[in-house]
Amino acid sequence: EVTYTCLMNGLCKMGKLKEAKGLFNAMLERGIRPDIVTFTGMISGLCKDGKIAKALELFNFMLEKSEEPNNITYNILINGLCKEGLLSDVFKILEMMVEKGKKPDVVTYNMILRGLCDIGNVNDALKLFDLMLSNKNYVDPDAWTISMLIRGLCREGRLDEAAKINSEMIEHKKVGDVVTYTALIGAYLKEGNVEKAMELWKEVLQLGLIPDSRTYSVMIDGFCKRNIINIAKGLFSKMRSLGLTPTLPDYNTLMATLCKEGSFEQATRLFKEMVDGNIQPDVISYNIIIDSSIKAGNIQYANELLNHMNRRGLTPDAFTFSMLINRLSKLGLMEEAKSTFERMTACGFSPDISVYDSLLKGFSVQGQTEEMIGLLRKMG
RNA sequence: GGAUUGGCUUGGGCA
């Protein structure tokens, strides 16, 4: 039974829902009685796959078998319903839960709070939060509660409200953690309020919270977006000196920003580091370097990279082709641009308007009217 | 012994 359950949960987590379902049925056929964990795990798998109706069906089946759901079972269902935006059903389940004498816990409320935020009802989320704080029939909020509220508020641009809640909770309830701060810092950086972000960052360190790789990623991304490359670089190396591993997007963002400000050398250095290291470059990494090497006039290096990419089993995507065509056209290398265009369509990509635009401009500069007419036909 | 909620996501021409 436990073996079955473990296997099924494993399968669910790998997205092999069909197999898990098969195993579940096999269990029933063999007369093995699924226990609450088995049922709950299966319901969770169904919810994660968006099969809410099936999950509810199984839930009812569970009731028929007089297996009593516990808080976790209810929470999983509520979460599934929240993710689908079915808040009215959520409240039905909640009611049922209470009728059966189960007390909703902090996880239950957190999910409902997030559900409310996700349907754009942040004000009701705030009301729920107040109830959690003041009403004894509810449960005290935890750091998760705060982080979800912050996310909801920040999405509506209500950053200062979010920051206020965070600092009040830290001060009076000692609730809040590196996640709540990371969410806030990210939001402020996105908004362009670097000062406030830095202030919060100092607070993180003062409170003795340990920034994790997520925190660094958020900041690297934020500073890159604001073109404050030196701080981004500093954070990147700080992160590594702490033994945290930068993610692929961290590398890519940093490389893209370096390229944008003309530090092509530094970008390629990072790229080579990736190739020699544990984080292997993906198509995006290649695109970034290929594009800026052409921009820097080094077409040969771009070609080498294209070959290198193929050897490593990465296929160019629509961006790769568009980039190449756009750049080649601009350089007046229309033969190459044209053959790239042909390869692009042969690979099944449909060129967008910018590709046609560049090609048309390129041909027009050289007075190649027949080519232009041919293109216009393909567009129409 | 096994099951539930939170924080950033990266690349292209012309402008």
Side-chain angles (χ1 to χ4, degrees), chain A residues 323-359:
Chain A
M323 247 166 43
L324 288 170
I325 297 167
N326 290 334
R327 294 264 177 241
L328 292 168
S329 305
K330 212 180 170 199
L331 291 171
L333 301 169
M334 296 317 291
E335 288 298 318
E336 289 85 342
K338 194 183 169 191
S339 67
T340 308
F341 176 82
E342 274 153 12
R343 242 186 313 145
M344 180 175 191
T345 47
C347 286
F349 294 110
S350 28
D352 68 11
I353 194 79
S354 79
V355 171
Y356 284 105
D357 189 52
S358 317
L359 282 170

Side-chain angles (χ1 to χ4, degrees), chain A residues 193-253:
Chain A
N193 193 340
V194 178
E195 263 177 54
K196 183 71 183 174
M198 292 298 253
E199 197 181 291
L200 289 162
W201 171 241
K202 273 180 206 143
E203 240 175 275
V204 167
L205 301 178
Q206 274 163 15
L207 289 167
L209 299 173
I210 313 293
D212 60 14
S213 74
R214 231 31 201 293
T215 315
Y216 281 98
S217 290
V218 168
M219 294 204 295
I220 290 170
D221 181 64
F223 283 108
C224 281
K225 289 227 166 77
R226 309 240 62 87
N227 292 318
I228 307 177
I229 188 79
N230 285 336
I231 296 187
K233 280 197 303 206
L235 288 164
F236 189 80
S237 47
K238 179 82 190 287
M239 182 178 186
R240 291 202 291 187
S241 73
L242 292 170
L244 299 171
T245 315
T247 61
L248 184 54
D250 291 339
Y251 274 100
N252 288 346
T253 318

Side-chain angles (χ1 to χ4, degrees), chain A residues 281-379:
Chain A
D282 66 356
V283 188
I284 297 180
S285 322
Y286 276 95
N287 286 347
I288 292 167
I289 301 296
I290 289 172
D291 185 50
S292 67
S293 84
I294 302 184
K295 207 153 70 179
N298 197 343
I299 297 183
Q300 199 189 329
Y301 186 51
N303 276 321
E304 281 169 29
L305 285 171
L306 281 168
N307 292 329
H308 192 250
M309 191 174 163
N310 283 328
R311 256 179 280 130
R312 302 221 10 252
L314 292 171
T315 46
D317 63 7
F319 261 86
T320 319
F321 286 113
S322 304
M323 247 166 43
L324 288 170
I325 297 167
N326 290 334
R327 294 264 177 241
L328 292 168
S329 305
K330 212 180 170 199
L331 291 171
L333 301 169
M334 296 317 291
E335 288 298 318
E336 289 85 342
K338 194 183 169 191
S339 67
T340 308
F341 176 82
E342 274 153 12
R343 242 186 313 145
M344 180 175 191
T345 47
C347 286
F349 294 110
S350 28
D352 68 11
I353 194 79
S354 79
V355 171
Y356 284 105
D357 189 52
S358 317
L359 282 170
L360 286 170
K361 278 194 183 126
F363 283 130
S364 124
V365 165
Q366 306 191 350
Q368 303 201 40
T369 7
E370 317 81 54
E371 296 286 5
M372 293 175 72
I373 292 166
L375 267 181
L376 288 167
R377 286 228 177 85
K378 279 180 196 158
M379 286 175 76

Side-chain angles (χ1 to χ4, degrees), chain A residues 51-265:
Chain A
K51 308 234 188 309
I52 285 292
K54 292 265 178 207
L56 284 168
E57 218 172 89
L58 187 56
F59 179 75
N60 288 326
F61 179 67
M62 183 177 172
L63 295 176
E64 275 167 35
K65 295 272 165 186
S66 57
E67 189 68 59
E68 190 62 23
N70 62 14
N71 267 21
I72 299 185
T73 320
Y74 283 109
N75 285 346
I76 287 172
L77 264 186
I78 290 177
N79 185 37
L81 292 166
C82 280
K83 290 226 159 112
E84 300 287 316
L86 302 169
L87 271 285
S88 53
D89 292 306
V90 168
F91 292 115
K92 268 182 226 154
I93 300 283
L94 193 64
E95 213 171 287
M96 177 175 179
M97 200 175 165
V98 176
E99 268 168 25
K100 296 225 176 188
K102 298 278 181 294
K103 191 169 164 26
D105 56 24
V106 69
V107 174
T108 319
Y109 288 117
N110 285 348
M111 294 185 304
I112 294 175
L113 199 141
R114 203 203 50 188
L116 287 168
C117 288
D118 285 350
I119 61 168
N121 207 340
V122 180
N123 289 332
D124 279 347
L126 281 169
K127 276 182 205 151
L128 175 56
F129 175 63
D130 283 336
L131 285 171
M132 289 173 82
L133 277 175
S134 57
N135 192 319
K136 290 228 178 251
N137 294 322
Y138 287 74
V139 188
D140 282 339
D142 63 5
W144 292 59
T145 322
I146 316 294
S147 75
M148 292 189 246
L149 251 190
I150 290 177
R151 195 181 74 143
L153 285 166
C154 289
R155 284 197 176 167
E156 301 211 329
R158 298 159 70 173
L159 305 207
D160 292 338
E161 272 174 85
K164 186 157 172 265
I165 289 175
N166 187 58
S167 60
E168 280 173 4
M169 292 313 289
I170 287 274
E171 199 175 322
H172 300 127
K173 305 264 178 184
K174 293 173 212 129
V175 173
D177 62 11
V178 71
V179 176
T180 64
Y181 275 98
T182 303
L184 271 177
I185 291 174
Y188 275 112
L189 282 176
K190 227 181 230 160
E191 201 199 49
N193 193 340
V194 178
E195 263 177 54
K196 183 71 183 174
M198 292 298 253
E199 197 181 291
L200 289 162
W201 171 241
K202 273 180 206 143
E203 240 175 275
V204 167
L205 301 178
Q206 274 163 15
L207 289 167
L209 299 173
I210 313 293
D212 60 14
S213 74
R214 231 31 201 293
T215 315
Y216 281 98
S217 290
V218 168
M219 294 204 295
I220 290 170
D221 181 64
F223 283 108
C224 281
K225 289 227 166 77
R226 309 240 62 87
N227 292 318
I228 307 177
I229 188 79
N230 285 336
I231 296 187
K233 280 197 303 206
L235 288 164
F236 189 80
S237 47
K238 179 82 190 287
M239 182 178 186
R240 291 202 291 187
S241 73
L242 292 170
L244 299 171
T245 315
T247 61
L248 184 54
D250 291 339
Y251 274 100
N252 288 346
T253 318
L254 200 53
M255 289 193 300
T257 310
L258 285 167
C259 288
K260 204 159 87 185
E261 61 127 40
S263 304
F264 182 56
E265 293 304 323

